[in-house]
Amino acid sequence: MDRLLGTPVAEVTDLGTSHEWSLRRATLTDGRRLFVKEARRRIDGLFAAEAAGLRWLAEGWRRVAGDAQGPVPEVLAADETTLVLPWIGGSAPTPAAAERFGRELAVLHGAGAESYGAPWRGYIAELPLDNTAGSSWPEWYAERRLLPYVRMAVDRGALSAADAALVERAAARIPDVAGPAEPPARIHGDLWSGNVLWDRDRAWLIDPAAHAGHRETDLAMLALFGAPQLERILAAYDEAAPLTAGWRQRVPLHQLHPLLVHAVLYGRAYRGQALDAARSVLRAC
């Protein structure tokens, strides 16, 4: 860690583990406090993808908003086994902070990209994420976000062949239910509530699976496990960047990918929710 930071570490506090990495708070001899992720099992390219995603989100923010500090922490250091970010204190989200987050998320999405995907090999948790570029979101979402995880879920026993066939039928109907075409948005990609840290008057985005995707994906992910102050976030977002008609009915479509990811990671506990989301897509046709 000293080698990466260039300043000696005075104290390290163990914060537990998550997925395939350990979490720590490091205090440097100059008084700065940092957040450190260290791999317990090396997965080539995983931390590089996270660092690239954070930098790409921050670059998009600067492109749209100028020098004002965006909701993305600076990557202080990264290599194949370690990622270092500034320490973010943590507090309960206030209504004002939630509204600010909604507006800032709209700005970040508006930075956009030339095509769907990303120019690096992606990960979501420790699972590979295919970021191959695409020009049509319905087809790209089906091919790069749904079908690979259906196959993984079957291989790991989380879904049956019949379950997979149901999800595949839903994936084939995405062009019919995706709503009006939108340009690629610069999205976090794994925006559940645990990846939003609140610190005094604002939110910070961590642990992205960043790529150019559909902006409704981030909003649906916020809803999946119940983000605090969600309606304030959504209202502020909609005021800053109005959402297209029917977006609430499309939430299950955008939640289908993270539910499949959870089925792969955690097994059949997420089977029911994933199949319910697929059925919602089919009913919307």
Side-chain angles (χ1 to χ4, degrees):
M1 196 184 307
D2 289 355
R3 172 184 58 81
L4 276 178
L5 299 174
T7 302
V9 175
E11 182 182 10
V12 175
T13 302
D14 187 4
L15 303 175
T17 61
S18 177
H19 297 285
E20 296 296 334
W21 42 87
S22 298
L23 310 177
R24 297 183 172 90
R25 182 179 66 225
T27 303
L28 305 185
T29 54
D30 62 12
R32 286 180 294 159
R33 294 199 300 171
L34 310 175
F35 175 73
V36 182
K37 292 173 69 170
E38 291 186 313
R40 295 185 290 132
R41 175 175 69 89
R42 176 168 172 160
I43 302 175
D44 289 343
L46 188 149
F47 284 168
E50 183 172 345
L54 287 167
R55 289 167 175 150
W56 181 74
L57 292 172
E59 185 275 331
W61 173 271
R62 290 191 297 270
R63 180 190 302 174
V64 176
D67 293 335
Q69 174 64 59
V72 184
E74 179 186 2
V75 177
L76 299 176
D79 64 12
E80 285 297 322
T81 61
T82 307
L83 178 73
V84 183
L85 305 176
W87 179 258
I88 298 171
S91 61
T94 65
E99 292 167 4
R100 177 178 179 180
F101 174 45
R103 293 190 297 270
E104 292 189 337
L105 186 61
V107 170
L108 187 60
H109 286 170
E114 293 183 0
S115 60
Y116 299 102
W120 59 81
R121 182 178 60 175
Y123 284 90
I124 185 164
E126 65 266 30
L127 300 178
L129 194 65
D130 186 350
N131 281 334
T132 301
S135 58
S136 169
W137 183 80
E139 288 77 10
W140 181 89
Y141 183 66
E143 294 173 7
R144 308 299 176 190
R145 292 296 180 266
L146 299 187
L147 299 182
Y149 298 94
V150 172
R151 292 188 284 269
M152 279 190 268
V154 170
D155 290 345
R156 298 189 184 195
L159 296 181
S160 69
D163 296 336
L166 173 65
V167 179
E168 288 164 356
R169 288 198 300 274
R173 301 305 300 271
I174 293 174
D176 301 325
V177 300
E182 294 204 0
R186 195 167 294 221
I187 70 172
H188 178 283
D190 191 13
L191 197 59
W192 73 288
S193 59
N195 286 342
V196 182
L197 297 184
W198 301 91
D199 186 24
R200 296 185 296 276
D201 63 345
R202 75 177 317 168
W204 294 90
L205 305 181
I206 61 167
D207 292 350
H211 62 277
H214 198 300
R215 62 186 181 136
E216 291 176 12
T217 296
D218 271 353
L219 303 182
M221 190 65 177
L222 281 172
L224 185 56
F225 299 116
Q229 305 272 0
L230 178 60
E231 288 306 315
R232 286 185 181 273
I233 295 168
L234 295 175
Y237 184 104
D238 190 40
E239 183 178 355
L243 292 156
T244 58
W247 70 269
R248 288 188 184 271
Q249 288 68 47
R250 293 188 291 272
V251 166
L253 168 63
H254 292 274
Q255 290 180 343
L256 186 50
H257 171 239
L259 287 169
L260 290 171
V261 168
H262 277 69
V264 173
L265 289 172
Y266 305 114
R268 292 178 67 83
Y270 286 92
R271 170 182 175 271
Q273 284 179 272
L275 297 183
D276 285 346
R279 293 186 187 102
S280 293
V281 172
L282 290 170
R283 285 196 298 270
C285 294

